[in-house]
Amino acid sequence: MNSKALKEQFPILNQEINGHPLVYLDNAATSQKPKAVIDAVKQYYEWENSNVHRGVHTLGSRATEAYEGAREKVARFLHAEDASQIIFTRGTTTALNLVASSYGPAHVGIGDEIVITEMEHHSNLIPWQQLAIRTGATLKYIPMQPDGHIELADVEATITPKTKIVAINYVSNVLGVVNPVKEIAAIAHRNGGIIVIDGAQSTPHMKIDVQELDCDFYAFSGHKMCAPTGIGALYGKKELLEGMEPIEFGGEMINDVGLYESTWKELPWKFEGGTPIIAGAVGLGAAIDFLEGIGMEAVAEHERKLANYAMERLAGIEGLTLYGPKKREVGLITFNLEDVHPHDVATVLDSYGIAVRAGHHCCQPLMRWLKATATARASFYLYNTEEDIDRLVDGLIQTKEYFG
Ligand code: PMP
């Protein structure tokens, strides 16, 4: 994979920040967008824009084709059985809340269990916390090993026949661990429960096959995988989605509306009340074409190499704490520099044109588990190079000297 050539396709990356060429290492928060995606959104507004599913006129058909075509692409990308199992949402957060609010109360009651982990992003923690509070269910946490990974023996010991829902991230946005979600799904199923996967940090970086994982629900955000903000999706097994009630009511999602009762459209539209994010879906479709053009195996391999190179180089900086496992599968590294607040680290790095994230990363329980109030995080994507890592290492050495 030629990252330098790929970088050329991302207009925003070719600029200077504070007098230095930009090194963008905040991809876990959001990725940058290639020209192909920007152009697809522009083309949509210049040629196809109209509302979907209702216009009899030509633009209405163009917009509907573009929107539904994007759904087909998402289904293909996730290896879903059928496009009707793809519900467009605003992103991962909305997708997870949809499952928790619709599937949740219908299947979880007093004495039941919901199983999650302490490394969940708030978006995959609070919806289940709320569901537990509202239904009287018990929230249980799978224990984590000192480096943050989880052992299947602990999963077996935590999930019981009372477990109705297991919700877990595929890749942690802080630890960079890849969780054994396929094995966890099998354990959940053996106990009569279902699994919901937070795919926010996995979908952009590796090949996803929801059928092979045998997951019941899978959520992701487009903006972390080259697509615009405001678009993502929920995949669900057909029989589960069919049995669920919508949580948003209004235009677009109805079949017949009476004065006292109404009926809903079939899948996936019963979950898509109101005018959808049409241009966003078009952008997501273009992002998928772009990523498939490179190949997700190539993306994953590139990031694995980059992450392990970064781990090696960062380990050479005295006073730097690295969180998460030593060997990396994905390009995401969280760290702290001794006696320097991560916000200060990020500020100094920014002065050298290097963008990293600092804070709790929407993982307050995990921060407590790590005994850190905050951390800094560098996260890579297909356009990052070893030179970017070298710039990060040099920047951290400068930061140390600055505060030393
Ligand atoms: N889960 C994980 C693991 C994440 O990293 C994020 C984004 N930081 C989310 C969920 C939420 O994604 P979004 O804000 O796009 O809904």
Side-chain angles (χ1 to χ4, degrees):
M1 209 172 88
N2 185 345
S3 295
K4 279 207 181 89
L6 280 171
K7 197 170 185 170
E8 292 301 312
Q9 298 184 43
F10 290 74
I12 201 170
L13 295 175
N14 296 303
Q15 63 172 302
E16 293 202 340
I17 299 280
N18 297 319
H20 301 272
L22 167 64
V23 172
Y24 185 75
L25 301 178
D26 194 15
N27 295 285
T30 199
S31 75
Q32 297 303 349
K33 324 299 173 199
K35 200 161 177 307
V37 169
I38 299 168
D39 287 348
V41 174
K42 185 167 176 274
Q43 153 87 5
Y44 169 77
Y45 278 124
E46 289 183 351
W47 185 244
E48 297 161 321
N49 178 54
S50 183
N51 213 323
V52 288
H53 304 140
R54 4 178 157 151
V56 176
H57 54 76
T58 303
L59 289 188
S61 316
R62 280 187 197 161
T64 305
E65 264 171 44
Y67 182 64
E68 293 304 329
R71 196 190 308 275
E72 298 276 346
K73 288 179 188 179
V74 173
R76 192 181 69 211
F77 194 68
L78 298 184
H79 297 87
E81 298 89 326
D82 195 87
S84 69
Q85 294 166 273
I86 306 298
I87 320 292
F88 279 128
T89 65
R90 201 154 52 76
T92 309
T93 305
T94 330
L96 295 168
N97 273 281
L98 169 56
V99 181
S101 303
S102 175
Y103 183 90
H107 294 86
V108 175
I110 296 172
D112 288 337
E113 296 166 354
I114 303 165
V115 170
I116 61 173
T117 74
E118 272 177 84
M119 71 176 101
E120 298 313 314
H121 185 281
H122 296 161
S123 293
N124 197 33
L125 193 152
I126 310 170
W128 310 115
Q129 212 175 51
Q130 286 294 310
L131 181 62
I133 292 167
R134 285 174 193 175
T135 58
T138 307
L139 196 57
K140 285 171 78 178
Y141 288 85
I142 301 169
M144 286 153 55
Q145 296 301 308
D147 71 353
H149 85 274
I150 53 179
E151 290 284 341
L152 287 177
D154 288 324
V155 179
E156 294 271 12
T158 311
I159 296 176
T160 75
K162 286 187 188 161
T163 305
K164 296 289 182 261
I165 298 175
V166 179
I168 185 162
N169 60 76
Y170 198 162
V171 172
S172 157
N173 65 314
V174 171
L175 300 167
V177 290
V178 181
N179 287 311
V181 288
K182 185 177 171 183
E183 290 75 11
I184 298 173
I187 297 169
H189 293 150
R190 215 183 314 124
N191 283 278
I194 62 143
I195 187 163
V196 183
I197 298 179
D198 170 352
Q201 298 295 345
S202 48
T203 322
H205 307 289
M206 56 178 76
K207 181 183 161 220
I208 301 298
D209 187 330
V210 288
Q211 293 189 71
E212 207 217 314
L213 294 175
D214 195 19
C215 57
D216 299 282
F217 295 101
Y218 186 97
F220 75 94
S221 302
H223 69 92
K224 296 181 198 285
M225 49 182 279
C226 299
T229 48
I231 187 77
L234 173 71
Y235 156 87
K237 281 191 180 158
K238 203 159 195 163
E239 64 277 14
L240 300 184
L241 289 172
E242 274 170 348
M244 280 160 61
E245 281 294 306
I247 56 164
E248 283 188 327
F249 304 92
E252 298 265 1
M253 51 77 68
I254 54 87
N255 194 7
D256 184 69
V257 178
L259 283 184
Y260 299 102
E261 267 182 333
S262 302
T263 56
W264 323 134
K265 268 188 186 160
E266 65 271 34
L267 286 177
W269 304 292
K270 72 170 177 180
F271 292 113
E272 294 181 3
T275 300
I277 313 129
I278 311 166
V282 169
L284 177 57
I288 287 172
D289 288 341
F290 176 81
L291 289 171
E292 285 180 342
I294 300 162
M296 291 312 289
E297 271 99 355
V299 172
E301 180 56 22
H302 172 71
E303 286 184 33
R304 188 178 309 127
K305 274 194 194 141
L306 221 47
N308 287 299
Y309 176 71
M311 285 297 282
E312 244 172 61
R313 291 239 41 211
L314 291 169
I317 302 177
E318 219 179 295
L320 192 84
T321 305
L322 294 164
Y323 300 99
K326 281 213 165 62
K327 201 165 167 354
R328 293 305 168 114
E329 290 299 316
V330 289
L332 187 160
I333 298 175
T334 299
F335 55 88
N336 262 325
L337 202 51
E338 200 175 17
D339 298 330
V340 188
H341 193 280
H343 283 151
D344 294 331
V345 171
T347 306
V348 177
L349 289 176
D350 184 59
S351 74
Y352 292 104
I354 304 159
V356 301
R357 194 128 197 113
H360 56 62
H361 315 288
C362 299
C363 285
Q364 287 184 0
L366 180 58
M367 289 298 119
R368 277 179 219 119
W369 188 87
L370 290 172
K371 298 188 173 51
T373 48
T375 66
R377 178 185 71 191
S379 51
F380 319 128
Y381 210 10
L382 41 91
Y383 35 69
N384 290 119
T385 59
E386 287 193 355
E387 289 87 273
D388 291 347
I389 312 279
D390 295 340
R391 289 266 312 274
L392 171 69
V393 171
D394 290 346
L396 284 169
I397 291 166
Q398 301 283 350
T399 312
K400 250 185 85 165
E401 278 170 15
Y402 184 86
F403 286 96

